[in-house]
Amino acid sequence: MSKNLIILLLITIGISYEVPNMFYTFQLSWPGSICLTKQCYKENVGNYKGQSWAIHGLWPGATNDSGDCEELEACTNNKFKESNLSKTTMTNLDQAWVGFFNPSGSFRAHEWNKHGTCWDEKDDLVPQVPGMNIQEEYFQTTLQLWKSYNIYDILSAAGIKPDDHKFYDTDSILDAIENEIGSSAQLLCTKDSNNKLLLVSVSFCVDEKYEPQRCPCDVYGGIPCGSRKNDKVRYPVFRL
């Protein structure tokens, strides 16, 4: 049995185990690109205003002794319940973490059940309040990251703004983000109906103190773009 499987089993049955070399991948998505390629629905959008990148997730991971990446998934049976979240947190989630093409509640439940159950509550960014449950801490911590690293504002300050017709160099996008966060980032794209690249996700990694660090591994889930090859991408305006 592998070391990492043993770790996951220990976590699952509730035995405390310090996972070495832990990090978190923070991924944000651009709804303008998502809704060009998928059918988005007004009832899923909540209070999203179109001038921010949306949270996709905060994903725990670890590197083993050989430096290989290991995703930590579904570590406990602590299932997501909206009733565990405060009214303030729900209001903020409806601005920052919404489903667009699927119900937001289902999306958040998926992210908690798969990834949040492996989050270490010792590693939060929010003040400890008596009686605060771990789900509230996880979502508040992720929201705080979203506020601290405002990708929309970072790109806008560099003259990179949503535009239905303009193409941007991925080098310029990465430079703007990396100069601001002080570490490397990764971009994922999808393709539009004309087979042109659409910028869909920005990811970067943070350590257990939530300081940006170089990701130990690549982020999957789309077309890697911006690997310093002068890719040209669209960054379209958000519309339903």
Side-chain angles (χ1 to χ4, degrees):
M1 183 179 292
S2 72
K3 173 182 175 182
N4 290 289
L5 182 56
I6 293 171
I7 291 172
L8 289 178
L9 286 172
L10 288 170
I11 294 172
T12 301
I13 63 177
I15 297 175
S16 176
Y17 188 95
E18 189 71 23
V19 178
N21 307 316
M22 197 162 180
F23 65 93
Y24 298 99
T25 301
F26 185 47
Q27 185 169 102
L28 297 150
S29 299
W30 176 239
S33 295
I34 292 171
C35 295
L36 269 183
T37 58
K38 296 179 181 290
Q39 178 64 58
C40 295
Y41 297 94
K42 187 175 182 179
E43 58 265 30
N44 295 332
V45 171
N47 294 319
Y48 176 76
K49 304 301 182 185
Q51 293 188 321
S52 62
W53 282 60
I55 297 170
H56 186 163
L58 181 65
W59 306 328
T63 53
N64 59 26
D65 293 338
S66 300
D68 298 323
C69 288
E70 301 286 345
E71 284 191 355
L72 304 178
E73 297 183 357
C75 296
T76 75
N77 290 320
N78 181 4
K79 298 299 184 183
F80 176 76
K81 293 180 181 178
E82 281 196 358
S83 59
N84 285 328
L85 304 182
S86 67
K87 183 177 180 180
T88 298
T89 295
M90 286 298 299
T91 297
N92 291 331
L93 289 175
D94 280 341
Q95 296 174 344
W97 199 336
V98 295
F100 296 103
F101 60 89
N102 62 350
S104 295
S106 298
F107 179 35
R108 295 165 193 159
H110 166 79
E111 289 298 312
W112 166 262
N113 295 336
K114 183 176 181 180
H115 302 289
T117 52
C118 299
W119 177 72
D120 189 341
E121 66 269 31
K122 297 191 303 297
D123 300 334
D124 60 28
L125 281 172
V126 298
Q128 292 296 301
V129 176
M132 182 185 289
N133 64 74
I134 187 172
Q135 292 184 21
E136 175 80 357
E137 289 185 57
Y138 172 77
F139 284 100
Q140 279 201 23
T141 293
T142 308
L143 285 164
Q144 186 59 51
L145 264 180
W146 175 76
K147 293 175 183 176
S148 297
Y149 299 102
N150 189 319
I151 298 299
Y152 188 94
D153 286 353
I154 290 170
L155 293 179
S156 293
I160 302 169
K161 299 180 180 181
D163 189 302
D164 288 331
H165 306 291
K166 191 171 183 178
F167 284 81
Y168 292 102
D169 291 332
T170 50
D171 281 6
S172 299
I173 295 169
L174 283 170
D175 285 344
I177 295 169
E178 292 173 355
N179 288 341
E180 185 65 26
I181 70 174
S183 188
S184 60
Q186 298 181 48
L187 306 180
L188 291 176
C189 291
T190 188
K191 288 189 176 181
D192 63 17
S193 58
N194 296 315
N195 208 37
K196 301 296 184 180
L197 288 174
L198 293 170
L199 180 61
V200 71
S201 294
V202 169
S203 303
F204 61 92
C205 291
V206 295
D207 60 21
E208 291 174 271
K209 295 182 179 179
Y210 291 92
E211 295 295 330
Q213 66 168 41
R214 184 180 182 279
C215 287
C217 51
D218 291 332
V219 177
Y220 298 100
I223 303 168
C225 52
S227 55
R228 302 298 178 180
K229 295 179 181 177
N230 294 313
D231 288 329
K232 303 280 188 180
V233 298
R234 289 179 63 204
Y235 179 28
V237 174
F238 167 71
R239 291 186 181 84
L240 284 177

